[in-house]
PDB file of all heavy atoms in Angstrom:
ATOM      1  N   GLY A  78       9.126  20.563  39.325  1.00 94.00           N
ATOM      2  CA  GLY A  78      10.531  20.967  39.189  1.00 94.00           C
ATOM      3  C   GLY A  78      11.023  21.050  37.760  1.00 94.00           C
ATOM      4  O   GLY A  78      11.918  21.843  37.453  1.00 94.00           O
ATOM      5  N   ASN A  79      10.479  20.242  36.869  1.00 96.00           N
ATOM      6  CA  ASN A  79      10.918  20.250  35.475  1.00 96.00           C
ATOM      7  C   ASN A  79       9.944  20.999  34.554  1.00 96.00           C
ATOM      8  O   ASN A  79      10.101  20.967  33.336  1.00 96.00           O
ATOM      9  CB  ASN A  79      11.075  18.807  34.967  1.00 96.00           C
ATOM     10  CG  ASN A  79      12.434  18.224  35.341  1.00 96.00           C
ATOM     11  OD1 ASN A  79      13.461  18.673  34.856  1.00 96.00           O
ATOM     12  ND2 ASN A  79      12.435  17.248  36.224  1.00 96.00           N
ATOM     13  N   ALA A  80       8.943  21.627  35.133  1.00 96.00           N
ATOM     14  CA  ALA A  80       7.925  22.270  34.291  1.00 96.00           C
ATOM     15  C   ALA A  80       8.516  23.462  33.546  1.00 96.00           C
ATOM     16  O   ALA A  80       9.246  24.261  34.129  1.00 96.00           O
ATOM     17  CB  ALA A  80       6.767  22.740  35.156  1.00 96.00           C
ATOM     18  N   PRO A  81       8.211  23.583  32.245  1.00 96.00           N
ATOM     19  CA  PRO A  81       8.676  24.758  31.494  1.00 96.00           C
ATOM     20  C   PRO A  81       8.112  26.050  32.090  1.00 96.00           C
ATOM     21  O   PRO A  81       8.759  27.079  32.048  1.00 96.00           O
ATOM     22  CB  PRO A  81       8.133  24.526  30.081  1.00 96.00           C
ATOM     23  CG  PRO A  81       7.820  23.077  29.988  1.00 96.00           C
ATOM     24  CD  PRO A  81       7.475  22.629  31.377  1.00 96.00           C
ATOM     25  N   GLN A  82       6.894  25.966  32.634  1.00 96.00           N
ATOM     26  CA  GLN A  82       6.294  27.141  33.265  1.00 96.00           C
ATOM     27  C   GLN A  82       5.357  26.667  34.363  1.00 96.00           C
ATOM     28  O   GLN A  82       4.487  25.814  34.114  1.00 96.00           O
ATOM     29  CB  GLN A  82       5.530  27.968  32.216  1.00 96.00           C
ATOM     30  CG  GLN A  82       5.412  29.429  32.592  1.00 96.00           C
ATOM     31  CD  GLN A  82       4.546  30.201  31.596  1.00 96.00           C
ATOM     32  OE1 GLN A  82       4.357  29.794  30.451  1.00 96.00           O
ATOM     33  NE2 GLN A  82       4.000  31.319  32.049  1.00 96.00           N
ATOM     34  N   ALA A  83       5.526  27.205  35.567  1.00 96.00           N
ATOM     35  CA  ALA A  83       4.665  26.804  36.687  1.00 96.00           C
ATOM     36  C   ALA A  83       4.359  28.027  37.540  1.00 96.00           C
ATOM     37  O   ALA A  83       5.140  28.981  37.567  1.00 96.00           O
ATOM     38  CB  ALA A  83       5.360  25.743  37.527  1.00 96.00           C
ATOM     39  N   GLU A  84       3.221  27.991  38.201  1.00 95.00           N
ATOM     40  CA  GLU A  84       2.803  29.118  39.029  1.00 95.00           C
ATOM     41  C   GLU A  84       1.807  28.620  40.065  1.00 95.00           C
ATOM     42  O   GLU A  84       0.918  27.815  39.725  1.00 95.00           O
ATOM     43  CB  GLU A  84       2.109  30.146  38.120  1.00 95.00           C
ATOM     44  CG  GLU A  84       2.331  31.593  38.520  1.00 95.00           C
ATOM     45  CD  GLU A  84       1.692  32.515  37.485  1.00 95.00           C
ATOM     46  OE1 GLU A  84       2.286  32.697  36.399  1.00 95.00           O
ATOM     47  OE2 GLU A  84       0.579  32.999  37.751  1.00 95.00           O
ATOM     48  N   ASP A  85       1.926  29.050  41.278  1.00 94.00           N
ATOM     49  CA  ASP A  85       0.971  28.700  42.336  1.00 94.00           C
ATOM     50  C   ASP A  85       0.700  27.202  42.417  1.00 94.00           C
ATOM     51  O   ASP A  85      -0.454  26.776  42.522  1.00 94.00           O
ATOM     52  CB  ASP A  85      -0.369  29.437  42.129  1.00 94.00           C
ATOM     53  CG  ASP A  85      -0.183  30.942  42.168  1.00 94.00           C
ATOM     54  OD1 ASP A  85       0.772  31.392  42.822  1.00 94.00           O
ATOM     55  OD2 ASP A  85      -0.972  31.647  41.520  1.00 94.00           O
ATOM     56  N   GLY A  86       1.724  26.400  42.318  1.00 93.00           N
ATOM     57  CA  GLY A  86       1.537  24.955  42.449  1.00 93.00           C
ATOM     58  C   GLY A  86       0.864  24.304  41.253  1.00 93.00           C
ATOM     59  O   GLY A  86       0.366  23.184  41.353  1.00 93.00           O
ATOM     60  N   SER A  87       0.859  24.986  40.105  1.00 94.00           N
ATOM     61  CA  SER A  87       0.203  24.418  38.913  1.00 94.00           C
ATOM     62  C   SER A  87       1.103  24.571  37.682  1.00 94.00           C
ATOM     63  O   SER A  87       1.964  25.454  37.638  1.00 94.00           O
ATOM     64  CB  SER A  87      -1.112  25.154  38.621  1.00 94.00           C
ATOM     65  OG  SER A  87      -1.965  25.070  39.721  1.00 94.00           O
ATOM     66  N   PHE A  88       0.859  23.726  36.695  1.00 96.00           N
ATOM     67  CA  PHE A  88       1.503  23.901  35.389  1.00 96.00           C
ATOM     68  C   PHE A  88       0.777  25.019  34.643  1.00 96.00           C
ATOM     69  O   PHE A  88      -0.451  25.099  34.692  1.00 96.00           O
ATOM     70  CB  PHE A  88       1.392  22.613  34.554  1.00 96.00           C
ATOM     71  CG  PHE A  88       2.107  21.439  35.162  1.00 96.00           C
ATOM     72  CD1 PHE A  88       1.402  20.433  35.815  1.00 96.00           C
ATOM     73  CD2 PHE A  88       3.490  21.328  35.086  1.00 96.00           C
ATOM     74  CE1 PHE A  88       2.058  19.337  36.372  1.00 96.00           C
ATOM     75  CE2 PHE A  88       4.156  20.244  35.638  1.00 96.00           C
ATOM     76  CZ  PHE A  88       3.438  19.243  36.276  1.00 96.00           C
ATOM     77  N   VAL A  89       1.545  25.843  33.961  1.00 95.00           N
ATOM     78  CA  VAL A  89       0.926  26.918  33.183  1.00 95.00           C
ATOM     79  C   VAL A  89       1.032  26.584  31.702  1.00 95.00           C
ATOM     80  O   VAL A  89       2.098  26.190  31.222  1.00 95.00           O
ATOM     81  CB  VAL A  89       1.624  28.267  33.464  1.00 95.00           C
ATOM     82  CG1 VAL A  89       1.033  29.372  32.599  1.00 95.00           C
ATOM     83  CG2 VAL A  89       1.515  28.616  34.942  1.00 95.00           C
ATOM     84  N   VAL A  90      -0.081  26.708  30.983  1.00 95.00           N
ATOM     85  CA  VAL A  90      -0.080  26.456  29.531  1.00 95.00           C
ATOM     86  C   VAL A  90      -0.683  27.656  28.815  1.00 95.00           C
ATOM     87  O   VAL A  90      -1.383  28.462  29.431  1.00 95.00           O
ATOM     88  CB  VAL A  90      -0.904  25.186  29.180  1.00 95.00           C
ATOM     89  CG1 VAL A  90      -0.245  23.946  29.752  1.00 95.00           C
ATOM     90  CG2 VAL A  90      -2.353  25.298  29.614  1.00 95.00           C
TER      91      VAL A  90
END
Side-chain angles (χ1 to χ4, degrees):
Chain A
N79 276 293
Q82 205 185 338
E84 214 175 283
D85 299 333
S87 302
F88 297 103
V89 177
V90 294

